[in-house]
Amino acid sequence: MGFLKRKPLRLQVFQMDYNNGNNDKKEIEMSDNKTNINWYPGHMTKAIRMMQENIKLIDIVIELVDARIPFSSKNPDIDELANQKYRLLLLNKADLADDTATEEWEQYYKKQGYAVLKINAKTGAGMKAIAGTVQETCREKLERDRKRGIINRPLRAMIVGIPNVGKSTFINSFAGKACTKTGNKPGVTKGKQWIRLNKQIEMLDTPGILWPKFEDQEVGRRLAIIGSINDDILNIRELALEFIRYLQHAYPGILAKHYGVNEAEECYKVLEQIAQQRQCKLKGNLPDYDKAASIVLENYRNGKLGQITLERP
Ligand code: G4P
């Protein structure tokens, strides 16, 4: 409760209100005809502490990001936390992202020293490669262990990522039915369980939740467009206009194809056309822009507009 009473901190680290139930106070600013999103720091400290406590026991940090926004959905704090640890970056929800852009991001993060795989945690696509990649990434450590006579000690992994990126889906899908829970280990917060995935890997069953961190409002808007922030606190119309503007230049033809609109018009005119096409009307036959905006964003989030990535390296 304490932090709810505090004055909003003008930090660039903000507590986000997520679809999965975080109700901390937030502040929305409207300026320059755009929605600016500011957040209060909140559960972040607790989550970071949990990770700091457990990271000592970890060999490899498996970080999930959303393949549609591999930069904006990545929390830079993890770099400090996971310092000295092996890193595997999973571009999740690759089924919703543009394959060409995903390739570019894969190369980009590989150049920065990450092992990178693109996956669909929902269907399991791309996940077979994970076990082998973890082994390969931790090769030096395994070699060191072997020289010290330690054999068959499983590698220990922690899953981290921002809310809604797919951590639970990933753990369920990766661990599957074959996994066994191992007992508590010394040093781990009571109640923490390890899931034995196979002979070589076990992972902490509680993922590390990191909130996104952004100095750039653009990053906040991208997180909002993919649906990581509750719509009821956002100016959905501004968000949809931003998205339409982006599609007009990055994915020409998509709006015309899906909504039968003339996309050469100004973005708000395009939204108006979508409202007409989809019978979104208010009293007096006025276009219901908000309803049309919800339709566009919803169609994007569930993949109906096709595979679209919102940022490039
Ligand atoms: P979290 O633990 O990181 O917070 O995320 P969680 O696993 O709850 O996943 C959030 C949403 O993302 C879920 O959808 C989940 O099904 C979906 N999801 C996870 N991985 C993928 C993926 O690779 N591709 C696609 N398309 N979706 C993915 P939901 O709408 O909350 O639930 P439901 O639709 O599964 O019922």
Side-chain angles (χ1 to χ4, degrees), residues 19-20 64 66 68 91-96 119-125 161-172 207 209 301-303:
N19 285 340
N20 52 354
L64 273 85
D66 191 302
R68 292 166 296 175
L91 301 168
N92 190 37
K93 309 199 187 184
D95 54 308
L96 300 175
I119 62 161
N120 174 347
K122 218 167 164 176
T123 62
I162 66 166
N164 218 35
V165 75
K167 295 177 296 301
S168 323
T169 312
F170 170 77
I171 290 175
N172 289 338
I209 303 169
R301 291 167 187 169
N302 61 29

Side-chain angles (χ1 to χ4, degrees), residues 151-180:
I151 13 178
N152 293 336
R153 204 184 85 182
L155 290 164
R156 289 166 304 192
M158 187 198 277
I159 314 300
V160 301
I162 66 166
N164 218 35
V165 75
K167 295 177 296 301
S168 323
T169 312
F170 170 77
I171 290 175
N172 289 338
S173 156
F174 192 39
K177 292 190 188 81
C179 72
T180 50

Side-chain angles (χ1 to χ4, degrees), residues 13-292:
V13 182
F14 302 111
Q15 171 68 51
M16 311 208 76
D17 186 2
Y18 284 97
N19 285 340
N20 52 354
N22 201 327
N23 286 319
D24 283 357
K25 205 173 172 187
K26 61 268 160 191
E27 173 191 3
I28 304 294
E29 282 180 359
M30 295 291 293
S31 64
D32 303 334
N33 208 23
K34 284 187 173 176
T35 307
N36 285 337
I37 311 156
N38 284 337
W39 312 92
Y40 290 66
H43 298 323
M44 201 131 117
T45 324
K46 201 175 152 199
I48 298 269
R49 202 179 306 127
M50 170 278 195
M51 270 178 261
Q52 280 167 338
E53 278 166 15
N54 291 315
I55 204 113
K56 300 168 219 147
L57 307 153
I58 300 293
D59 299 307
I60 181 163
V61 173
I62 301 180
E63 182 180 5
L64 273 85
V65 293
D66 191 302
R68 292 166 296 175
I69 46 168
F71 172 76
S72 299
S73 59
K74 194 173 185 312
N75 182 312
D77 281 340
I78 190 64
D79 293 336
E80 207 177 308
L81 272 167
N83 190 17
Q84 310 290 329
K85 302 289 169 185
Y86 296 106
R87 307 286 295 273
L88 169 60
L89 190 75
L90 299 176
L91 301 168
N92 190 37
K93 309 199 187 184
D95 54 308
L96 300 175
D98 178 336
D99 289 332
T100 311
T102 305
E103 288 287 329
E104 288 171 16
W105 281 109
E106 210 176 330
Q107 296 315 318
Y108 172 82
Y109 281 119
K110 275 182 179 164
K111 276 194 196 128
Q112 294 191 9
Y114 292 89
V116 187
L117 290 171
K118 51 176 184 247
I119 62 161
N120 174 347
K122 218 167 164 176
T123 62
M127 287 180 45
K128 274 205 187 106
I130 294 175
T133 305
V134 168
Q135 292 285 308
E136 176 60 25
T137 308
C138 301
R139 202 179 53 233
E140 276 177 23
K141 186 212 180 279
L142 291 169
E143 187 59 23
R144 269 200 314 271
D145 278 359
R146 201 184 55 76
K147 281 186 184 149
R148 288 199 217 132
I150 305 167
I151 13 178
N152 293 336
R153 204 184 85 182
L155 290 164
R156 289 166 304 192
M158 187 198 277
I159 314 300
V160 301
I162 66 166
N164 218 35
V165 75
K167 295 177 296 301
S168 323
T169 312
F170 170 77
I171 290 175
N172 289 338
S173 156
F174 192 39
K177 292 190 188 81
C179 72
T180 50
K181 288 208 168 186
T182 63
N184 289 343
K185 296 212 168 165
V188 186
T189 318
K190 202 162 171 261
K192 289 280 168 341
Q193 295 278 326
W194 292 82
I195 299 172
R196 176 70 68 90
L197 297 170
N198 54 33
K199 272 192 183 143
Q200 287 104 29
I201 312 172
E202 58 186 26
M203 74 181 170
L204 202 57
D205 79 338
T206 314
I209 303 169
L210 284 165
W211 278 270
K213 190 173 183 177
F214 51 91
E215 291 173 11
D216 184 355
Q217 293 292 332
E218 195 61 38
V219 169
R221 280 193 285 271
R222 285 178 196 152
L223 285 158
I225 290 172
I226 66 159
S228 280
I229 301 171
N230 277 341
D231 284 343
D232 54 3
I233 62 161
L234 297 164
N235 183 330
I236 194 158
R237 200 184 307 180
E238 290 302 332
L239 211 56
L241 288 174
E242 179 106 355
F243 178 57
I244 289 171
R245 215 176 287 129
Y246 175 76
L247 289 181
Q248 285 173 313
H249 92 262
Y251 292 92
I254 290 237
L255 292 163
K257 182 178 156 209
H258 285 272
Y259 302 110
V261 294
N262 172 11
E263 52 175 54
E265 299 230 49
E266 286 287 326
C267 58
Y268 73 91
K269 280 276 177 199
V270 171
L271 188 61
E272 190 173 319
Q273 290 179 65
I274 295 171
Q276 273 161 7
Q277 295 288 347
R278 295 295 164 108
Q279 309 288 329
C280 307
K281 284 181 204 155
L282 294 169
K283 269 188 212 150
N285 233 6
L286 291 168
D288 187 342
Y289 289 104
D290 286 350
K291 195 167 171 202

